Each structure stands twice: as C-alpha cells, then as structure tokens.
Amino acid sequence: MALLPNKKRDGGGNALGGGNSPLHPFSRQLNFRQQQLHEEAEAISDEYQRRANEAWRDELGEKAAALLQTKRTANSRASSKS
C-alpha cells in the first residue's frame, strides 16, 4: 500500500505547491545527470572520431606508399631498359 502526500493547492496553483516542490532537487539532479551523460556521449563520440581519422590516415599513408613504390619500380624498370 502506497501512502501519497496530501495535494497542496496553494502557492503556484499546481498540486505540488508551486516552487516548493519536493521534486525540485530531484529535477536538478536529473538535469545534472543528463548533462553528465551528454558530456560523456560527446567525449566518446570525439574519441571514436579521432580513432577513425587516425585509422583513415594510416590506411591512406599505406596506400600512398604502395602507389609510390609501384611507380618507382615501374620507373626503374623503364630506365634500365633504355
């Protein structure tokens, strides 16, 4: 059996008595937690993006090195035949 507090009708006109709501500190904690979660999600996203960019640069570097190696090999073959 749940016990519910009596509804107050004075104050701000709402059932919880205006600005003296017992839920106000909970609301503040909830907003703080939402802000923390948002900041954590943003940090995770930034780290994921940083790692993806790093992997892309590494892959791009490897491909560029392979292309340059192929080009050097082709040039050295062409000059040795001449």
Side-chain angles (χ1 to χ4, degrees), residues 7-82:
K7 293 182 179 180
K8 295 181 182 177
R9 297 274 178 207
D10 53 16
N14 64 12
L16 296 173
N20 298 327
S21 168
L23 297 179
H24 186 65
F26 177 74
S27 174
R28 193 176 318 136
Q29 288 175 349
L30 184 61
N31 288 340
F32 179 71
R33 184 62 183 142
Q34 286 175 334
Q35 181 182 351
Q36 282 181 317
L37 289 173
H38 178 73
E39 289 172 0
E40 289 174 17
E42 206 170 302
I44 290 169
S45 174
D46 289 347
E47 180 65 14
Y48 179 81
Q49 187 65 49
R50 185 191 68 76
R51 289 182 183 188
N53 288 342
E54 185 178 321
W56 178 78
R57 282 191 300 269
D58 289 346
E59 184 179 336
L60 186 63
E62 290 171 7
K63 288 180 179 181
L67 285 172
L68 289 173
Q69 186 64 29
T70 303
K71 193 172 185 178
R72 286 183 189 151
T73 306
N75 286 343
S76 65
R77 286 183 193 157
S79 59
S80 66
K81 288 182 181 181
S82 302

